[in-house]
Amino acid sequence: MSEAVSRPTLEAVAARAGVSRATVSRVVNGGDGVREPLVERVRRAVEELGYVPNQAARSLVTKRHDAVAVVIAEPETRVFADPFFALQLRGISKELTAHDNQLVLLLTEGRDDHARVGRYLAGGHVDGALVFSLHLDDALPGLIQGAGVPTVFGGRPGWSDGNLPQTLGSAPSGQDSTAVYVDSDNRGGARDAVRHLVGLGRRRVAHIAGALDQTSAVDRLDGFRDVMADADPRLIAEGDFTPAGGERAMRELLDRCPDLDAVFAANDLMASGALRVLREHGRRVPDDVAVVGFDDMLPVAEQTDPPLTTIRQDIEEMGRLMARLLLRRLRRNPTEADQDTTTGVVLPTTLVRRASA
Amino acid sequence: MSEAVSRPTLEAVAARAGVSRATVSRVVNGGDGVREPLVERVRRAVEELGYVPNQAARSLVTKRHDAVAVVIAEPETRVFADPFFALQLRGISKELTAHDNQLVLLLTEGRDDHARVGRYLAGGHVDGALVFSLHLDDALPGLIQGAGVPTVFGGRPGWSDGNLPQTLGSAPSGQDSTAVYVDSDNRGGARDAVRHLVGLGRRRVAHIAGALDQTSAVDRLDGFRDVMADADPRLIAEGDFTPAGGERAMRELLDRCPDLDAVFAANDLMASGALRVLREHGRRVPDDVAVVGFDDMLPVAEQTDPPLTTIRQDIEEMGRLMARLLLRRLRRNPTEADQDTTTGVVLPTTLVRRASA
C-alpha cells in the first residue's frame, strides 16, 4: 500500500506486560503452554495498547487466515436483486461466524471479472471458497481449481461425475479434483410439482424452465419430462430465473399454446411474473390455469395473487451445510482427504400447497 | 490451508516460452522493459499452462493486492434488506471494476464480529477499506485505524473535526489520522423537506428521526430543528431507518400529537411504514397529513400509496466517489498524502415532488 503506517508492535506489548516476545506470541496464537496469570497480563497489555496481531506473520505460523471466500457467479446487481442469494449467504454467514471465520464476499460486475477473482483466491487471502450459481460455459471452476483453494460448490457442478473436465482444471496429477457440492433434489421436486398438477386433472401442463446453462434448471426440466414424457415441446419455454424472464416465457407459452391449463415454473420469481401475465390475459388462477413454483421463497410465494403453491427447498440450510463441509475439509489433514468419497449432499424438497394450484 | 495443492509454476512458464524466470516475472508484473515478441511468447505460455501468478509473491514486489475491502457496520441481514446498501455497493463495484480492483465485502452477524474484521484488514489482504453505516459507540473506526489501512468513510464519522478520538484510534504520533469521507448534505436536505411542508401551510410538522447513533440521523434532525426552532418536543420520535421502525414511531406520534398535520421521515423506508399506519388510522395523505421522506429510494418512493415526495440523494454516486477517493489515495506516495487537506466531500440533495406532500 502507498501510505506508510505503523501500529503497536509485539515488542511494545511484551514490554508493557513484562514478558518475553515469545510469550506474547504464544498468547496471541492461542495461549498454549502459558500460565494463566501471564496470559491475563498479556491480554491486558494487548487491550491497553490497542494491539492488533500481524495476521500476515501469524498466518505464516498457523497457515490459516480464518477467512472463507464466497463467490457468486452473477453480477452484483443480480446478487442483490434475487433473495435466493441473500438466504444462502445468511446460512453461510451464521456458520462461518459460529467458527470465527471471516466471510469474504467477492463481488463482480460479470464474467469478465472472474480471472481477477481467481487471482485473489490464489493470493493467499482465504483458506477456502464457497462457490454458487455456476454456469456451464463459465471459466470460473477452472480458475478456482487453478487457484488451489479447497472449494465447496452450491448446486451440482455441470461437469460429469463431479470431476473437473481436463480442459477446465489445471489440477496436477495426484491432486484430488473431486468437486464437493451441496444441492437440493431438483429433479425429484420438479416431479412432485408436475404430479400435483396432473393429480388435479390438468392435461396441458406447461413448463417455464430456468437458465438452461445451470444444472438446477436442467434437473428441474428433467423432472418435468419424467412425468410428462410425451409433452408437446411447445409447452416448454426457457426463462432466466428472474420475474421479467417469467413474464416473457408466459407470453410465449400463451401465444403458442392458448389451451394450456397449468404451468410449473422453475422458481417462484418466474412464477410471480407468470401470474401477472395470466391476470393481464384474463386467465383465472387456479380455475383456468393452475400454477406451481419452486423455492418457497418468502415473502414472494405468500404475497403473490393468489398465493403460490410451490416446492420448498431449504436455501439457508444449503448455505449452512456448504460452510460446514468446507470447514470440515479445512480441519482435516491431506491424508484423510483422500479417504473422503463424499462428492455431493442432496437435500430433500417438499410440496407446499397454497391457492395457485 | 490443510490440503496440499500445486499449480503450474513460473519455471514451467519460462521453460515453455524459452525465456528466463526474470523475464516471465517482468511480463506478469506489467511487462516493463521486455520486448514485444517476448511478451507475446510469455503470454501464450501463461495461457496454455493455465498459469495463475502467485499473488502473494507478486504483492511482495508491488506492495499491492489490487483489492479493496468494503465494511458495512450492520448485520448481513440488514445489508440485504435495505436497498440503500445495494445502491452504494453498485457505485463502489462499478468504480473498482473499472480499475481492475477486487471488491472484497466483509460481512458480519453483528458488532461482536468487528474485531475479526479488524484482524482481516490488518492481515495484508487488501490495499484499503471503504466503510459505511458507522454507529457512534462502535469500536470499528478504532479497529480500522489500528489495522493501518487507508480508509474512506461513507457518511461523516461521528468524532469531531473528522479526527479519530485518541481513545479510539491507536494512530502513532506523526501519522495522519484525518478521516476522509463522502456524505450527502443531510442537514440542508432536511431543511428543504421541512420548508416544503411549512410552505404548504402545515403547522404541526412531526419528525421521524433515524437511529440517533448515526450522524446522518443527527444531521437530518438538526435540519428539522433549523426550520422548526421551537417545535413541540413530542413531535419528534426516533426510528431506526427500517419500515417497522417507521410504523412504531408513527404510532407514537399519533398517540402523543393527534393534531399533527405533516411528517418528515428521515428516510423513505420509514416513510413507507408511516404511510401504512396513517392509512390504518383513517388519515388521508396528503389532505390530513402530508408526508416527506429522504433518499428517493426507487422503486420504494414511487410505489408507496400515495407516491412519496422526498429528498433525493445520489447514493450510487456516493459509493462511486468513495471508491474514487480511495484509489486516488492509494496511487499517491506518502509525502503527497501530507499535503492533502480534503477531509469531506458533501454532495447536494434535491426535493422530488410526488403526491404525498
Side-chain angles (χ1 to χ4, degrees), chain A residues 1-2 5-7 55 63 93 100 102 105 107 109 116 119-120 122-123 125 146-148 172 329-330 332 334, chain B residues 1-3 5-7 55 63 93 100 102 105 107 109 116 120 122-123 125 146-148 172 329-330 332 334:
Chain A
M1 65 199 82
S2 60
V5 284
S6 60
R7 30 179 208 202
Q55 200 72 9
K63 310 279 187 214
S93 176
D100 205 19
Q102 181 57 47
L105 179 59
L107 290 174
E109 291 285 299
R116 195 183 61 231
R119 287 199 300 275
Y120 195 79
H125 303 304
R329 273 187 99 170
L330 295 176
R332 259 188 338 225
Chain B
M1 67 197 81
S2 60
E3 290 177 61
V5 284
S6 60
R7 31 179 206 201
Q55 200 73 10
K63 311 278 189 215
S93 175
D100 205 19
Q102 182 57 47
L105 179 59
L107 291 174
E109 291 285 297
R116 194 182 62 230
Y120 195 79
H125 303 303
R329 274 186 98 170
L330 296 176
R332 259 186 340 224

Side-chain angles (χ1 to χ4, degrees), chain B residues 58-323:
Chain B
R58 189 170 164 236
S59 297
L60 282 178
V61 180
T62 63
K63 311 278 189 215
R64 287 291 296 271
H65 305 285
D66 296 323
V68 167
V70 174
V71 182
I72 305 173
E74 303 286 349
E76 63 83 23
T77 45
R78 178 85 204 284
V79 171
F80 280 87
D82 188 335
F84 183 92
F85 301 120
L87 273 174
Q88 203 146 19
L89 279 167
R90 185 170 307 168
I92 291 170
S93 175
K94 281 182 184 162
E95 189 69 19
L96 291 182
T97 298
H99 292 87
D100 205 19
N101 267 251
Q102 182 57 47
L103 196 173
V104 174
L105 179 59
L106 303 178
L107 291 174
T108 68
E109 291 285 297
R111 292 189 197 189
D112 290 348
D113 305 326
H114 286 171
R116 194 182 62 230
V117 167
R119 285 199 301 274
Y120 195 79
L121 292 175
H125 303 303
V126 292
D127 301 320
L130 300 170
V131 179
F132 50 98
S133 205
L134 281 180
H135 297 257
L136 287 178
D137 54 347
D138 196 327
L140 195 55
L143 291 164
I144 288 167
Q145 189 82 352
V149 288
T151 300
V152 173
F153 294 94
R156 182 174 59 82
W159 49 87
S160 61
D161 307 325
N163 289 309
L164 274 174
Q166 288 307 312
T167 48
L168 272 184
S170 51
S173 60
Q175 183 188 335
D176 180 18
S177 68
T178 305
V180 175
Y181 67 89
V182 175
D183 206 349
S184 284
D185 183 7
N186 290 307
R187 189 163 180 164
R191 275 196 299 255
D192 290 345
V194 181
R195 277 189 196 126
H196 177 66
L197 290 167
V198 171
L200 294 171
R202 308 294 164 136
R203 291 296 166 261
R204 293 286 282 169
V205 181
H207 179 47
I208 300 179
L212 289 170
D213 65 344
Q214 298 193 267
T215 58
S216 58
V218 172
D219 291 353
R220 290 171 203 175
L221 173 58
D222 284 345
F224 171 83
R225 284 186 171 138
D226 287 343
V227 183
M228 309 295 289
D230 44 6
D232 182 344
R234 293 173 308 160
L235 282 168
I236 299 169
E238 187 175 348
D240 59 0
F241 286 129
T242 71
E247 290 183 9
R248 269 195 307 275
M250 192 68 243
R251 285 205 178 88
E252 271 178 50
L253 289 169
L254 284 172
D255 201 47
R256 290 202 296 248
C257 307
D259 62 336
L260 60 84
D261 58 9
V263 179
F264 163 50
N267 75 346
D268 292 347
L269 293 181
M270 292 196 298
S272 73
L275 286 173
R276 272 194 295 277
V277 170
L278 288 167
R279 198 163 44 242
E280 245 177 59
H281 283 71
R283 305 289 180 110
R284 291 166 306 161
V285 175
D287 308 58
D288 302 330
V289 181
V291 177
V292 178
F294 201 108
D295 279 344
D296 196 29
M297 180 73 69
L298 300 182
V300 177
E302 285 178 345
Q303 291 179 354
T304 52
D305 178 20
L308 199 59
T309 293
T310 188
I311 301 297
R312 174 168 166 71
Q313 59 171 339
D314 194 338
I315 302 165
E316 186 175 329
E317 179 60 22
M318 281 176 68
R320 198 188 279 265
L321 201 52
M322 285 171 70

